[in-house]
Amino acid sequence: MHEDDTLMQQAAAGEVRAFGRIVARHQIRLVRVAARLLSDPELAQDAAQEAFLRLWHMRHRYQPSGRLSALLLRITRNVCLDWAGRKETEEWTEEREAAQAHDDPAAQAEGGALADAVGRAVGSLPEPSRTVFILSHYEGQSYADIAAALDCPLGTVASRKRLAVEALRRKLAHWVEGENTK
Amino acid sequence: MTCADAQAELTAFLDGELTGDAAAAVNQHLSACPACARTGDALAAVSHLADAWQVQGADIQSAVLTQIALEDMASEMARLRAEVETLRAEVAALRRPVSAPGLLFPYAPPISAPLHIV
């Protein structure tokens, strides 16, 4: 049996520590996915926490399937969509921090602007293409895993990913051209 | 394979989602078609650019477990409150005044003769 399924069974039997291990195994990814879906790192932590609480409430109904990860991604996405209206002004604080890895100040400015541009471009993708792009590109999920998480056919995932990349190509045309001229 | 077919499969090809004949067909088309190869390069460049947007995960384990503990406490408090209410109702029923005198001392024998002191 998959380790997640074993832990869920233990959690259903009342072992909170087992559930804590599930949280530890998935929290980083869920917070990251929520941060990109909400474009808000702080709200993302609350959203991921809410996703785990929803899983805790349904622990007695969980059927072992080896797909807890897909279920958690689906719950997280639903929470984020529910909360999308609560999104406040865009801040992109952490993206700017990540961009500061460049030594050259000019590169820092350019990297921060690029991170902003990418964040805004991805954030403006229509759902569910945005989720597909985030799970595929940033989380390295296979199309099959994404199809399981979103409960849709494999071909739908492929077409949504293609639409997302084509949309990003248009939105980031300035940067793509800049890249080509270097 | 036509250009339209190849372009429809390009993203999946770049994601490594195509295998066997499907992957070979796209690869062969890209080798022979400069226009589709340029499109493939542009899509790969978009992928590369997208990497610039990095976000961090976070440790929320203690927050989740604390929330679960709080929910358990709230649930236990609600259960105890309900129990207290039940007990309160039972005590109130026991304290209710009984008006029928016979019910006050059901064990008292009827006095039908003079008492004799032994």
Side-chain angles (χ1 to χ4, degrees), chain B residues 89-112:
Chain B
E90 286 177 8
V91 168
L94 289 172
R95 284 179 174 166
R96 197 173 301 139
V98 181
S99 56
L103 291 177
L104 286 174
F105 303 102
Y107 52 85
I111 303 172
S112 55

Side-chain angles (χ1 to χ4, degrees), chain A residues 145-176:
Chain A
D145 286 341
I146 297 170
L150 301 185
D151 198 20
C152 66
L154 198 67
T156 304
V157 172
S159 64
R160 285 172 179 167
K161 176 71 189 292
R162 181 168 55 82
L163 290 173
V165 174
E166 287 172 356
L168 289 177
R169 184 186 174 194
R170 287 191 299 276
K171 292 172 190 290
L172 299 171
H174 165 71
W175 296 93
V176 175

Side-chain angles (χ1 to χ4, degrees), chain A residues 91-131:
Chain A
E91 292 179 350
W92 316 103
T93 309
E94 294 196 7
E95 293 78 14
R96 290 200 178 99
E97 285 174 2
Q100 288 172 359
H102 298 278
D103 293 327
D104 178 13
Q108 272 187 22
E110 184 178 347
L114 174 59
D116 280 0
V118 173
R120 289 175 199 281
V122 174
S124 69
L125 291 173
E127 270 297 320
S129 290
R130 181 162 37 120
T131 301

